[in-house]
């Protein structure tokens, strides 16, 4: 049964993540945003502490957290710097998850262990210029050759694409079979024909890199096929179910940061002879913000709990992402409003939170896609 109270371990992991976020992740976040600077140093530190292999079992080099603890840790890191949290979310819920559940023992030893130990960073390459929401439309082609496959195509919007050491890549191995002809590969950094292009100049999440990847006659050996040939779309969809918990947790973290900044500011700022927190219109905003953040967190915890219990959580993770991302956008917009003109300039953090929040409604399935996922699950039930 889903309970809102955390276990002692979950509470401790959240508090540990909060401390690390404050001490190691927050410092320099303003400058990293301004300079669009990716910090490998911070990821190395987080990796040493187990944050790059949170849900991977200890025998495979990970920290062995449950999904609830994972979501709480992502929330805390996102509160300090959402750009860092997206790297963790992609690595933990997409890349590591696929390898943990679908890689063979040799692949786990070679690829999953260094990821889980925080030595390597991973990316997840599904999106293409013509395959975003409609993910079945993979135009990257993998052609069979002696001992492996030759990949050709273009990937788009790849988080950590420039800095990743290992890349999970989906490609069409049999176009006639449509989505049942998609296969999952792992491509190592530096492989000939694998070329990350210039980083995108983004509105938010500026300290994480996002790029397109040109794939030209890129040879990938048979031993780098993850799962079986033709099973790739299932891996993509199943991993995204869990990925959406990470993004929802990230959205809650951004919203919490904006809310706390707003309360602090509202207590300090005086208008009409009193702190603005004493004005009912500000109180109304804060009450709405608080209620929606609480509701979002509960949806995240419910989805994560069901994942931990090995129950079907497809609807739950889509609901958590849809609601939490809308909340993050609304809360950060109101935070800017509460700050007035000060909210619109870089001296205060809320304008960054507003910019960072928007993409949570877009990546790992837009809000519109989440409504489709929810509605399809509902139709199966009723
Ligand atoms: N979990 C597990 N399997 C799923 C699934 C899910 N959430 N959604 C679909 N599938 C499976 C289906 O069961 C079906 O399997 P079979 O062919 O074996 O029966 C297969 O995937 C195809 O499903 P469907 O026919 O529903 O595919 P659609 O083309 O209609 O698309 C959506 C389904 C829209 C849900 C899917 O394309 C999607 O999630 N798109 C968003 C992708 C995304 O998040 N992009 C961002 C990239 S990462 S930044």
């Amino acid at each position: 049964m889903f309970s809102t109270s955390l276990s002692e371990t979950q509470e401790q992991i959240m508090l540990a993540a909060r401390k690390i976020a404050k001490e190691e992740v927050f410092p320099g976040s303003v400058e990293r945003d301004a300079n669009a600077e990716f910090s490998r140093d911070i990821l190395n530190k987080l990796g040493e502490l187990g944050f790059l292999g949170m849900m991977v079992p200890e025998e495979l080099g990970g920290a062995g957290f449950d999904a609830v603890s994972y979501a709480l840790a992502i929330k805390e890191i996102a509160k300090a710097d959402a750009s860092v949290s997206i790297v963790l979310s992609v690595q933990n819920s997409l890349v590591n998850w696929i390898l943990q559940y679908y890689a063979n023992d040799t692949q786990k030893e070679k690829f999953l262990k260094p990821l889980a130990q925080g030595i390597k960073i991973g990316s997840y390459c599904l999106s293409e210029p013509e395959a975003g929401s409609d993910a079945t439309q993979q135009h990257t082609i993998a052609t069979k050759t002696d001992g492996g496959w030759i990949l050709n195509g273009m990937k788009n919007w790849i988080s950590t694409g420039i800095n990743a050491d290992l890349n999970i890549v989906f490609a069409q191995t049999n176009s006639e079979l449509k989505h049942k002809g998609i296969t999952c590969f792992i491509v190592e950094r530096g492989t000939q024909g694998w070329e990350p292009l210039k980083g995108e100049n983004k509105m938010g999440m500026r300290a994480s890199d996002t790029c397109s990847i040109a794939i030209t006659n890129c040879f990938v050996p048979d031993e780098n096929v993850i799962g079986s040939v033709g099973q790739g779309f299932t891996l993509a969809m199943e991993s995204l179910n869990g990925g959406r918990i990470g993004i929802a947790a990230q959205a809650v973290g951004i919203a919490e940061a904006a809310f706390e900044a707003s309360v602090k500011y509202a207590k300090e700022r005086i208008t009409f002879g009193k702190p603005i927190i004493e004005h009912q219109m500000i109180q109304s905003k804060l009450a709405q913000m608080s209620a929606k953040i609480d509701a979002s967190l509960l949806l995240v915890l419910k989805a994560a709990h069901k994942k931990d219990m090995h129950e079907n959580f497809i609807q739950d993770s889509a609901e958590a992402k849809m609601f939490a991302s809308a909340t993050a956008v609304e809360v950060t917009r109101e935070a800017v409003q509460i700050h007035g003109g000060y909210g619109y300039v870089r001296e205060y953090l809320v304008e960054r939170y507003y910019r960072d929040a928007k993409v949570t409604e877009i990546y790992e399935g837009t809000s519109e896609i989440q409504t489709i996922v929810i509605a399809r699950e509902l139709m199966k039930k009723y």
Side-chain angles (χ1 to χ4, degrees), residues 127 132-133 136 179-180 233 237 240-241 244 364-365 369 376:
S127 295
S133 291
T136 59
H179 71 274
K180 288 185 190 294
F233 196 71
M237 289 296 111
L240 281 169
N241 292 330
R244 288 163 186 162
E364 293 198 25
I369 287 292
R376 285 184 181 182

Side-chain angles (χ1 to χ4, degrees), residues 232-305:
F233 196 71
T234 303
L235 273 61
M237 289 296 111
E238 288 183 356
S239 57
L240 281 169
N241 292 330
R244 288 163 186 162
I245 295 176
I247 303 304
Q250 174 185 59
V252 176
I254 298 169
E256 276 188 8
F259 175 78
E260 287 172 15
S262 300
V263 171
K264 182 171 179 288
Y265 182 80
K267 283 181 171 172
E268 290 163 5
R269 173 72 173 164
I270 310 283
T271 65
F272 303 101
K274 55 186 178 186
I276 62 171
I277 201 161
E278 290 177 26
H279 295 310
Q280 282 192 348
M281 267 191 268
I282 300 295
Q283 290 175 357
S284 167
K285 285 186 192 301
L286 291 172
Q288 291 289 339
M289 290 155 82
S290 171
K292 286 180 185 170
I293 293 169
D294 278 351
S296 299
L297 181 57
L298 288 174
L299 286 174
V300 171
L301 293 177
K302 182 179 171 213
H305 171 79

Side-chain angles (χ1 to χ4, degrees), residues 88 187 229 318 365 373:
L88 301 190
V187 180
V229 172
V373 173

Side-chain angles (χ1 to χ4, degrees), residues 25 186 193 197 200 207 242 284 287 342:
V25 182
I186 195 146
L197 304 180
E200 302 291 347
S284 167
Y342 294 104

Side-chain angles (χ1 to χ4, degrees), residues 83-224:
S83 288
V84 174
S85 73
I86 184 57
V87 183
L88 301 190
S89 185
V90 168
Q91 173 132 341
N92 285 285
S93 18
L94 301 180
V95 179
N96 291 351
W97 187 88
I98 284 182
L99 294 173
Q100 187 181 331
Y101 288 94
Y102 285 98
N104 60 36
D105 288 346
T106 314
Q107 292 169 332
K108 281 183 186 164
E109 195 63 34
K110 186 172 178 196
F111 302 124
L112 179 56
K113 245 190 183 169
L115 287 162
Q117 289 167 334
I119 300 164
K120 292 201 169 163
I121 298 179
S123 87
Y124 178 87
C125 308
L126 176 66
S127 295
E128 297 186 357
E130 290 169 79
S133 291
D134 192 358
T136 59
Q137 298 302 308
Q138 296 289 306
H139 285 77
T140 297
I141 303 291
T143 311
K144 191 74 189 87
T145 186
D146 272 358
W149 300 79
I150 305 278
L151 270 59
N152 278 289
M154 176 71 82
K155 292 291 171 182
N156 235 13
W157 312 122
I158 305 306
S159 299
T160 330
I162 294 173
N163 288 287
D165 306 294
L166 297 172
N167 306 278
I168 292 277
V169 185
F170 298 92
Q172 191 62 256
T173 43
N174 186 341
S175 303
E176 281 171 23
L177 297 177
K178 303 201 167 140
H179 71 274
K180 288 185 190 294
I182 294 170
T183 300
C184 179
F185 298 89
I186 195 146
V187 180
E188 297 182 65
R189 182 197 189 96
T191 303
Q192 199 174 356
W194 180 263
E195 189 193 353
L197 304 180
K198 190 169 167 285
E200 302 291 347
N201 188 8
K202 294 177 292 181
M203 168 182 174
M205 301 286 183
R206 292 181 54 78
S208 81
D209 75 79
T210 304
C211 69
S212 294
I213 295 172
I215 309 168
T216 316
N217 295 328
C218 179
F219 174 78
V220 182
D222 282 326
E223 55 266 28
N224 284 22

